[in-house]
Amino acid sequence: MQNLPDTMTVVAISEPGGPEVLILEQRALPDVGDGDILIRVEAAGVNRPDVLQRMGAYPPPRGASDLPGLEVAGEVVAVGAAVHGHSVGDQVTALCPGGGYAEYCKVPAGHALPVPAGMSVLEAAALPETFFTVWTNVFDRCGLREGERFLVHGGASGIGTCAIQLAKAFGAEVFTTVGSSEKIEAMKTLGADHVINYREQAFEKVILEVTGGQGVDVILDMVGGDYVERNWKAAAIEGRICQIATLNGVSHDVNFSRLMVKRLTHTGTTLRPRDDAFKSAIADSLRSRVWPLIESGQIKPLIDSTFPLSEAAEAHRRMESSGHIGKIVMTVGS
């Protein structure tokens, strides 16, 4: 174990509210359990769940830090007694149950992966939350296969830019939706075959036209609301839809006969409350199936902007503007 300070700078939520409620505090370093590692954070990803937590709409799971922050990258500075495979001095990126907006972050050892060869620590901080989420929902849960058609909404988001690249890398025909014309070329550069501006066109009609009425096989949706019914229209026979958020609220009026006639599967998940073993299994899959693609340069996180930890409020304002293309990352320390 390295010589560590007694306290660290963190970004805390003073009360539920807007970005201005994010404040700097001094706190004690977290205690490291037998199965944990402690990371000196060099960069931390900013994600939509952080915004929801700040607003009071997404409380952390039992036992997790009350600080926001679901992904970090940096140097391992302490390891628990039962940890194997990580050593002090390793450069890692990790999925966090919370606490990433800090100079030091404790995570279960199984949730950490090595910083991919040839990648900066800042870029690596943009990997865990989106790659864990996309892999478990699109590939494990919905079973996207080579040659199938895939739709992800919000293509310019962190989830979207990750899903486009992964689906394309594994041989799918990729559709996505965006909210402005300036985002269209960026999505095509990432590998999207068909990009639809949802403000100008009804995505379900475009998809049915492009596919000759067949629709798409797998849909990853974080919008909800009226998109539920529209996704069912866009889906192929025996299509699979995975709901990971409902940014447009819940749907009160859907035609379940469409679900039955098409033999659709509409499922949903939230990653943060899942147990350590589940998340560690995803990490193992990413290490064997995805990390080689990243290290070869075939897949790379798209970084929209960076902010120092002291400007967490500005990072959240950027997230809430929905103008970003890719991931927002905060730098920590020198």
Side-chain angles (χ1 to χ4, degrees):
M1 178 182 295
Q2 299 181 1
N3 291 325
L4 301 175
D6 294 326
T7 62
M8 62 179 180
T9 301
V10 307
V11 173
I13 301 170
S14 60
E15 60 182 352
E20 69 279 357
V21 305
L22 297 175
I23 59 172
L24 294 178
E25 287 185 354
Q26 291 294 310
R27 291 198 182 180
L29 270 63
D31 294 327
V32 179
D34 287 348
D36 299 327
I37 61 173
L38 184 66
I39 300 169
R40 180 176 59 80
V41 179
E42 297 178 39
V46 178
N47 294 281
R48 187 70 62 171
D50 302 337
V51 172
L52 296 175
Q53 181 176 336
R54 189 205 73 218
M55 297 169 64
Y58 191 39
R62 185 185 299 273
S65 170
D66 66 317
L67 301 175
L70 301 178
E71 58 186 350
V72 299
E75 180 186 1
V76 177
V77 294
V79 298
V83 171
H84 301 283
H86 294 290
S87 302
V88 171
D90 288 350
Q91 292 282 302
V92 298
T93 183
L95 185 73
C96 319
Y101 288 17
E103 291 182 309
Y104 293 85
C105 182
K106 176 186 73 172
V107 301
H111 302 179
L113 289 159
V115 171
M119 178 170 284
S120 71
V121 174
L122 187 145
E123 290 173 317
L127 296 174
E129 173 66 12
T130 50
F131 278 74
F132 274 69
T133 298
V134 171
W135 185 264
T136 188
N137 288 295
V138 174
F139 295 92
D140 287 341
R141 198 168 187 86
C142 287
L144 181 66
R145 297 184 292 271
E146 183 178 1
E148 289 193 316
R149 296 186 176 111
F150 169 70
L151 165 65
V152 58
H153 291 295
S157 67
I159 291 287
T161 54
C162 169
I164 288 168
Q165 292 185 80
L166 277 177
K168 193 65 179 178
F170 284 92
E173 182 179 357
V174 179
F175 294 72
T176 191
T177 59
V178 296
S180 69
S181 57
E182 68 179 355
K183 294 179 179 179
I184 292 176
E185 286 306 314
M187 299 305 98
K188 290 183 177 179
T189 299
L190 286 177
D193 299 288
H194 312 280
V195 186
I196 304 162
N197 186 336
Y198 65 82
R199 299 185 191 277
E200 298 178 352
Q201 297 176 292
F203 71 82
E204 67 275 24
K205 293 181 180 179
V206 174
I207 287 170
L208 291 175
E209 288 173 2
V210 169
T211 63
Q214 292 184 338
V216 292
D217 301 288
V218 174
I219 300 173
L220 184 65
D221 182 36
M222 65 286 289
V223 180
D226 68 341
Y227 273 39
V228 173
E229 177 80 9
R230 296 170 68 186
N231 284 333
W232 292 359
K233 291 179 181 179
I237 299 297
E238 297 192 349
R240 293 93 72 195
I241 303 102
C242 193
Q243 202 75 45
I244 58 171
T246 53
L247 296 178
N248 277 8
V250 298
S251 177
H252 297 287
D253 184 20
V254 293
N255 179 5
F256 277 94
S257 65
R258 196 182 312 277
L259 185 82
M260 296 182 290
V261 169
K262 284 190 169 182
R263 302 187 298 278
L264 302 177
T265 299
H266 195 144
T267 185
T269 68
T270 54
L271 178 61
R272 193 177 186 186
R274 300 300 295 265
D275 63 33
D276 290 349
F278 180 83
K279 296 173 185 176
S280 295
I282 301 173
D284 290 341
S285 294
L286 291 174
R287 185 193 296 264
S288 62
R289 303 288 304 281
V290 176
W291 252 229
L293 298 176
I294 296 174
E295 293 184 337
S296 72
Q298 188 172 347
I299 293 175
K300 184 176 182 178
L302 183 62
I303 306 298
D304 172 83
S305 51
T306 62
F307 297 83
L309 188 67
S310 60
E311 295 181 13
E314 290 305 314
H316 275 222
R317 290 187 181 98
R318 177 63 179 166
M319 171 70 71
E320 292 181 282
S321 76
S322 294
H324 60 289
I325 301 177
K327 292 295 298 261
I328 301 167
V329 179
M330 291 191 299
T331 55
V332 184
S334 57

